Amino acid sequence: MAYRLDSKPGHYAELILRELSRTASAVPDEALASLAERILQAKRVYTAGAGRSGLVMRGLAMRLMHLGIETYVVGETVTPGIREGDLLIIGSGSGSTQSLLGMAEKAKRLGAGIALLTTAADSPIGRIADVIVPIPAAAKEQTVSSPSVQPMGSLFEQSLLVTLDAVVLMLMEIRSIDASAMFARHANLE
């Protein structure tokens, strides 16, 4: 069966890149700086997210580890309990995913800081977060009036990755760490 495309396949990639550029440039610099500061102040950093956002948050944990920051992914068997002085970073478009809200509430009770990257600053997690990084992209639930040509939460998830990579670059600059120093901490049993 042959499929007919009304435009060149590269056209779709160009649409995605334009959306991503517009969204990433609208993330407030001061929110990124606040997140970087909180990461550097934390005793340990924990990351959490659900679905595709969870995959992005795992990627952040890897890069923070490469920077020499003690970092854990919530839900892994080797992740220790969170304590006072630690930081939980959550990526959630809606800011209301029940499992993530439960984590945030418990972490808060235990004295940990909460950072949220989201499309919904005034969400249940947003209301208890110490740092909010607003990402102006549609959450997966906003499918009818979405400002994106992409399905569900794709623009948020892509923007989350780019935003967190920008934070990693900030941390590299602040700590005077280059890519070769980070590579020295890269997994070597692959």
Side-chain angles (χ1 to χ4, degrees):
M1 172 186 258
Y3 292 96
R4 182 176 167 271
L5 294 175
D6 291 331
S7 61
K8 297 184 288 185
H11 170 74
Y12 298 113
E14 290 171 14
L15 286 174
I16 291 168
L17 289 172
R18 277 198 299 269
E19 283 190 343
L20 186 54
S21 177
R22 182 179 61 245
T23 303
S25 65
V27 175
D29 289 340
E30 58 276 4
L32 298 177
S34 293
L35 177 57
E37 184 178 332
R38 288 303 292 254
I39 290 170
L40 292 173
Q41 292 171 348
K43 292 178 184 172
R44 300 179 299 180
V45 176
Y46 293 72
T47 68
R52 286 170 41 128
S53 296
L55 296 174
V56 173
M57 299 310 293
R58 293 172 71 87
L60 171 64
M62 177 191 288
R63 286 293 180 251
L64 294 178
M65 177 275 294
H66 290 154
L67 283 166
I69 296 170
E70 188 174 352
T71 308
Y72 300 96
V73 175
V74 174
E76 293 294 321
T77 58
V78 296
T79 299
I82 199 166
R83 298 187 302 241
E84 186 174 343
D86 293 338
L87 176 66
L88 173 61
I89 305 174
I90 296 173
S92 173
S94 69
S96 61
T97 304
Q98 284 301 305
S99 59
L100 299 173
L101 176 58
M103 287 176 203
E105 290 171 339
K106 184 165 189 176
K108 193 75 163 177
R109 282 194 308 272
L110 294 170
I114 310 295
L116 173 66
L117 294 99
T118 187
T119 65
D122 188 31
S123 60
I125 300 172
R127 287 190 284 276
I128 64 170
D130 302 294
V131 174
I132 297 174
V133 178
I135 298 177
K140 68 178 177 274
E141 297 84 3
Q142 299 168 320
T143 56
V144 177
S145 61
S146 172
S148 177
V149 299
Q150 299 180 70
M152 302 173 9
S154 290
L155 181 58
F156 170 74
E157 296 142 4
Q158 295 157 359
S159 300
L160 180 62
L161 176 65
V162 170
T163 298
L164 291 171
D165 276 350
V167 171
V168 168
L169 288 175
M170 291 173 65
L171 293 170
M172 289 173 68
E173 183 178 340
I174 291 166
R175 297 182 102 193
S176 299
I177 295 175
D178 62 16
S180 62
M182 292 173 69
F183 189 74
R185 292 187 186 92
H186 193 278
N188 60 7
L189 295 178
E190 298 174 328

